[in-house]
Amino acid sequence: MTHQDVPAQDKTHDTAFLSEADAQRLQFEQNALHYHEHPRPGKISVTPTKQIANQRDLALAYSPGVAVPCLEIEKDPKLAAKYTARSNLVGVITNGTAVLGLGNIGALASKPVMEGKGVLFKKFAGIDVFDIEINETDPDKFIETVASLEPTFGGINLEDIKAPECFKIERELRERMNIPVFHDDQHGTAIISAAALLNALQLNGKNIGEITLVCSGAGAAAISCLDLIVALGANKNNIYVLDSKGVITTSRENLDESKARFARDTDKTTLAEVMNGADVFLGLSGPDVVSQDMVRSMAKDPIIFALANPTPEIMPELAHAVRDDVIMATGRSDYPNQVNNALCFPYIFRGALDVGATVVNEEMKLACVHAIAAMAHTESTPSVDSQKDETGKSFGREYLIPGPLEPNLILEIAPAVAKAAMDTGVATLPIADFDAYRQKLSEFVYNSALAMKPIFNKAKANPKRIVYAEGEDINVLRAVQVVVDEKIAEPILIGRHDIINQEIKSLGLRLVDGQNITIIDPHTNPKNDTYYQHYYGKVQRQGVSLELARRDVRRKTTLHGALMVELGDADGMVCGTFGFYDLHLNYLKRIIGKREGVSNFYAMNAVLMQNRNIFIADTYINEDPTAEELAELTILAAAAVRRFGVTPRVALLSHSSFGTSDKESAVKMREVHKILTQKGVDFEFDGEMHGDAALDSRLREMAAPFSTLTGNANLLITPTLDSANIAFNLLKSATGSAALGPILLGADKPVHILTPSATARRIVNMTALTVSDAQEMAK
């Protein structure tokens, strides 16, 4: 083959020819495609909520049983909320004419976005979603199509529809439909930016009725923001709005109704002119339209909300470079004060659906604004203990609004929206007991990964030195990279320097000994003499010679790590990713020992499910614990559950249900109940009971109306190790849920033993928990 015959090298996907930024972008795009394709295409599925296990179930679910609720709903349409999923079902609907920053890409191409919206609804608020992409750009035909879907849904979330058609579509659908219709692109951004503005004005001491505001952008979101800001008290005569043609003035012709409302009688035509002396800039337009000179010209203590994505109207560092008194917000997650629609839309619908609202009115939106604004004045996450964390996020210039992942959003926004709906007469299913309603909402707070949010927040506030006994393990190293990036702990890795550094390089990690990690080689640790002598002093009467103690300290990494914790060279330890649980526990028993007043060690695991979290104990240590041990375990486990911000509700499980059997295990669980009652513990508990009654309060209320346990149990205590371990693993596998633990209870120091199946994510979670333990013990 001649030189001319060699095909030109395609440099498009060859990272050797790309800049670092382009290579990262390409990798991100490939990851995104892989994420959406595997393990099955898309991000959503429809899951039945009722079992069809036999002929009777089939007869009830379909013909002839299904006819009964059909006839009831025919007589009273409100009963659809009782007998169908409609009251918890939202339609996310678009025609794909204004998708993110991609423009008019069409209905089909918008489907990944709509599926993603469905995921957020379900993840954050437990709301089911059908995403519907309608191939129709004619507003009147689109309206007819959506309006005909009213019997299906409890609410409609319009998404990614271009202006000005979106105004007409939402307005007419609101008039025609008796369910909430909410165009999130308009109102979501408006609600969050309005909440941030209220808090920014509070910080700089300005009155909303007196500020001069400049808005760059006149699309759906911008106009909705302005309407809401005016509703909060801003003077429309002090607002300048610009579109692609400049300042919207009364001399402009052919303005649509939404723009005409904000037309000013002024001879100013450019952004630079109206920015001079302005108090607030609101950007919903495009990148880099605001210059540093414009920022310089603004009034004292200016507020700049540059919300264009991904590139704001001005980058925060540029604005701060010329004004040290500026307050900034953007739409980006890598800067403080992110204005993110996910902060409100799931919870607005949650509150609206729960009271059967016929509309999302202005009062409900304003209630959401004030709820979000108020949340910034409290802790950034719910308190996990009685001591307020002084070093967490607090109200200020870089914390105007809570983040979109704050787990208590639903507890504040949904009730506020529901109450506003009731107060304005648009609720068809009013809530009688708001305390009970908040308790029900709390079940959404700590689902799946959000269960760890309070623990992570606490760990980041005061990181501790955590030693990893298996420092050469690949999953440990991957986890440590996350720990370093998230500033959760100060990692200490036990292992050989060359092996750890080799694995770090092969994994492409950014861990550097002496900078963001510390590597301790147990063979060459200069403190080995101190360690083995201390160890020998503890085990010399247990058949361990001085020489064996010396060798074990160099060879047994869990032993080495335990000695580091015991002697103050580390604050906590995570171990167990290699070998058997009991082998690690044996070293902890010898070195760390039990906490004062505790008679034994115990282990607890959690299954982090989509709609609830379930803690189970004792999963690893005590084969057949006594009633006294189970009572002690229950008290320790309940205290551990509280640290997740969860109120423990304990079920003492058995094959027996409140005295139906006198077999030994049933009698034992009855004795546990008696001991806990005598101790006067400060948490709910009951038993002995069946597992299904523990997890379904309706079953328990029917079978045992006298039970003192309220709601669904979240902490399960079983009679034996076998029953706990089997229940945990079956529940984890059957639901496909994430797991947490094992959490070691009863130890005198912050130490936890994992299992070889532990993923990097579980190691990260347990690291945060160990840091939290260390903080508690330091008190």
Side-chain angles (χ1 to χ4, degrees):
M1 180 180 290
T2 66
H3 176 73
Q4 288 77 11
D5 294 326
V6 178
Q9 188 168 7
D10 181 6
K11 300 181 181 180
T12 306
H13 299 294
D14 189 336
T15 56
F17 293 93
L18 297 176
S19 67
E20 182 178 355
D22 286 340
Q24 289 177 347
R25 175 186 55 78
L26 179 60
Q27 183 62 54
F28 180 80
E29 291 171 355
Q30 291 171 343
N31 289 342
L33 292 175
H34 185 275
Y35 175 87
H36 284 80
E37 181 182 359
H38 300 285
R40 55 186 291 186
K43 299 190 288 288
I44 58 174
S45 67
V46 177
T47 304
T49 59
K50 302 290 193 300
Q51 288 188 340
I52 303 181
N54 50 46
Q55 186 63 38
R56 180 178 178 275
D57 290 345
L58 181 60
L60 292 172
Y62 201 55
S63 182
V66 74
V68 179
C70 288
L71 295 174
E72 291 297 308
I73 294 169
E74 182 188 27
K75 289 184 287 186
D76 182 1
K78 287 184 181 178
L79 291 177
K82 184 175 183 180
Y83 297 125
T84 77
R86 181 176 186 261
S87 63
N88 195 52
L89 185 61
V90 166
V92 174
I93 303 180
T94 189
N95 60 7
T97 54
V99 181
L100 301 177
L102 306 175
N104 186 356
I105 62 174
L108 181 59
S110 74
K111 189 171 179 64
V113 180
M114 303 308 117
E115 285 187 356
K117 200 68 177 283
V119 170
L120 298 183
F121 267 111
K122 187 67 174 181
K123 188 73 172 178
F124 295 143
I127 295 172
D128 295 315
V129 163
F130 289 158
D131 65 290
I132 299 180
E133 295 76 31
I134 300 175
N135 220 0
E136 182 57 71
T137 56
D138 183 292
D140 293 320
K141 292 180 180 179
F142 185 88
I143 290 167
E144 289 297 327
T145 302
V146 176
S148 68
L149 298 173
E150 183 170 346
T152 302
F153 296 109
I156 300 293
N157 183 100
L158 298 174
E159 193 79 14
D160 292 349
I161 302 170
K162 71 182 180 72
E165 290 91 334
C166 62
F167 299 116
K168 170 185 170 72
I169 289 170
E170 186 191 39
R171 181 176 63 250
E172 295 194 15
L173 286 175
R174 281 166 58 108
E175 292 171 357
R176 291 180 56 170
M177 303 179 80
N178 288 312
I179 57 175
V181 177
F182 186 83
H183 186 203
D184 185 45
D185 297 320
Q186 296 180 52
H187 307 302
T189 302
I191 288 167
I192 300 157
S193 58
L197 179 61
L198 286 181
N199 279 335
L201 291 173
Q202 181 177 337
L203 283 170
N204 65 21
K206 294 185 179 181
N207 187 318
I208 193 171
E210 299 173 355
I211 61 169
T212 298
L213 185 148
V214 174
C215 180
S216 175
I223 296 299
S224 184
C225 286
L226 295 173
D227 285 338
L228 199 54
I229 290 170
V230 169
L232 288 170
N235 186 341
K236 189 184 293 186
N237 294 324
N238 292 338
I239 296 175
Y240 294 89
V241 183
L242 296 92
D243 60 11
S244 59
K245 298 178 181 177
V247 177
I248 298 174
T249 67
T250 52
S251 62
R252 294 258 301 267
E253 298 179 352
N254 300 320
L255 293 173
D256 63 60
E257 184 275 335
S258 61
K259 291 184 180 181
R261 292 203 311 275
F262 291 96
R264 289 289 306 276
D265 184 11
T266 178
D267 58 359
K268 297 178 181 179
T269 60
T270 67
L271 180 59
E273 289 177 295
V274 294
M275 283 285 276
N276 189 17
D279 298 289
V280 178
F281 171 80
L282 175 63
L284 290 143
S285 51
D288 305 323
V289 299
V290 174
S291 69
Q292 289 181 307
D293 284 339
M294 294 179 191
V295 176
R296 287 190 186 94
S297 73
M298 294 180 73
K300 184 178 182 294
D301 295 316
I303 298 168
I304 296 178
F305 289 179
L307 306 183
N309 247 333
T311 305
E313 285 79 2
I314 184 170
M315 295 298 289
E317 53 267 27
L318 296 179
H320 287 299
V322 295
R323 295 292 295 265
D324 57 10
D325 59 344
V326 66
I327 297 176
M328 285 286 302
T330 70
R332 292 172 54 136
S333 61
D334 53 346
Y335 289 98
N337 302 323
Q338 183 194 15
V339 175
N340 187 324
N341 289 10
L343 194 61
C344 71
F345 73 79
Y347 318 114
I348 288 178
F349 271 96
R350 181 75 275 159
L353 292 173
D354 289 340
V355 294
T358 57
V359 67
V360 174
N361 58 28
E362 290 303 304
E363 290 82 0
M364 293 161 73
K365 288 188 282 185
L366 288 171
C368 185
V369 170
H370 290 294
I372 293 172
M375 285 179 63
H377 294 264
T378 60
E379 293 177 296
S380 58
T381 51
S383 179
V384 296
D385 57 23
S386 60
Q387 182 178 0
K388 186 177 174 71
D389 186 2
E390 297 293 337
T391 58
K393 291 180 181 177
S394 59
F395 177 62
R397 290 172 172 266
E398 295 193 347
Y399 191 65
L400 299 175
I401 48 176
L405 293 179
E406 290 300 331
N408 55 348
L409 286 167
I410 193 171
L411 298 177
E412 303 302 326
I413 297 175
V417 171
K419 188 174 187 305
M422 291 166 56
D423 291 344
T424 54
V426 299
T428 62
L429 302 168
I431 293 169
D433 185 345
F434 266 87
D435 288 337
Y437 178 54
R438 286 179 63 88
Q439 177 62 34
K440 179 182 177 182
L441 291 176
S442 69
E443 295 182 5
F444 295 112
V445 172
Y446 294 101
N447 59 43
S448 191
L450 293 182
M452 290 298 300
K453 185 67 176 180
I455 302 296
F456 274 96
N457 183 69
K458 191 174 178 183
K460 292 178 182 180
N462 185 17
K464 298 293 184 180
R465 301 167 300 166
I466 303 302
V467 60
Y468 299 83
E470 294 86 28
E472 298 175 5
D473 184 274
I474 291 175
N475 274 337
V476 168
L477 292 171
R478 286 175 173 149
V480 167
Q481 183 66 71
V482 177
V483 168
V484 167
D485 291 344
E486 296 293 322
K487 297 180 174 62
I488 297 168
E490 299 172 11
I492 303 170
L493 301 174
I494 297 181
R496 293 162 291 181
H497 285 82
D498 56 341
I499 299 297
I500 292 176
N501 287 325
Q502 180 181 327
E503 295 292 0
I504 288 172
K505 183 177 180 180
S506 65
L507 293 170
L509 304 178
R510 292 164 281 107
L511 304 175
V512 180
D513 185 24
Q515 292 185 16
N516 51 21
I517 61 171
T518 300
I519 298 175
I520 298 293
D521 188 332
H523 294 89
T524 59
N525 190 346
K527 294 192 175 183
N528 275 351
D529 285 348
T530 301
Y531 288 173
Y532 86 75
Q533 289 172 8
H534 184 84
Y535 175 51
Y536 180 65
K538 285 180 172 287
V539 298
Q540 57 188 346
R541 293 181 179 272
Q542 300 175 30
V544 178
S545 67
L546 183 63
E547 181 58 28
L548 181 58
R550 182 185 288 113
R551 293 188 181 191
D552 279 352
V553 165
R554 293 198 303 266
R555 294 182 303 180
K556 310 297 185 182
T557 58
T558 296
L559 170 61
H560 202 96
L563 287 164
M564 291 182 68
V565 175
E566 174 72 6
L567 296 176
D569 294 325
D571 300 307
M573 179 175 71
V574 174
C575 63
T577 61
F578 175 81
F580 297 108
Y581 191 95
D582 285 347
L583 294 176
H584 298 278
L585 181 62
N586 183 51
Y587 289 118
L588 299 189
K589 286 179 177 178
R590 289 180 169 186
I591 304 302
I592 301 298
K594 297 186 291 288
R595 191 185 312 170
E596 184 178 355
V598 174
S599 66
N600 210 342
F601 292 95
Y602 308 94
M604 177 174 71
N605 282 78
V607 181
L608 309 179
M609 303 168 69
Q610 183 65 35
N611 60 347
R612 66 172 79 179
N613 300 310
I614 299 175
F615 296 82
I616 305 173
D618 175 5
T619 44
Y620 278 94
I621 298 176
N622 298 286
E623 184 176 0
D624 188 10
T626 65
E628 290 76 13
E629 287 174 326
L630 286 174
E632 180 177 73
L633 160 64
T634 303
I635 294 170
L636 291 172
V641 168
R642 274 205 176 99
R643 288 183 28 233
F644 289 85
V646 176
T647 301
R649 294 191 293 275
V650 181
L652 307 174
L653 298 188
S654 173
H655 71 279
S656 172
S657 179
F658 297 104
T660 59
S661 170
D662 285 329
K663 286 185 166 53
E664 184 178 348
S665 65
V667 172
K668 179 169 69 172
M669 299 312 286
R670 250 173 267 158
E671 182 65 18
V672 177
H673 183 276
K674 180 179 177 180
I675 295 171
L676 293 174
T677 302
Q678 291 172 344
K679 288 181 176 293
V681 296
D682 60 349
F683 52 83
E684 288 187 21
F685 66 95
D686 208 351
E688 81 281 13
M689 70 175 69
H690 290 166
D692 55 354
L695 298 181
D696 190 338
S697 59
R698 294 171 301 174
L699 287 177
R700 189 170 63 255
E701 288 164 4
M702 290 188 292
F706 52 81
S707 175
T708 57
L709 185 61
T710 62
N712 300 329
N714 52 32
L715 173 54
L716 309 180
I717 305 298
T718 70
T720 64
L721 183 150
D722 276 350
S723 55
N725 191 278
I726 290 170
F728 162 65
N729 282 297
L730 284 177
L731 195 58
K732 177 185 67 172
S733 298
T735 61
S737 301
L740 178 67
I743 299 169
L744 184 62
L745 305 173
D748 194 43
K749 300 283 185 181
V751 290
H752 291 289
I753 307 170
L754 304 183
T755 60
S757 64
T759 62
R761 172 49 56 184
R762 200 193 301 188
I763 297 169
V764 172
N765 288 343
M766 292 305 296
T767 300
L769 187 61
T770 308
V771 172
S772 176
D773 287 343
Q775 294 170 348
E776 289 295 314
M777 291 186 178
K779 295 176 184 178

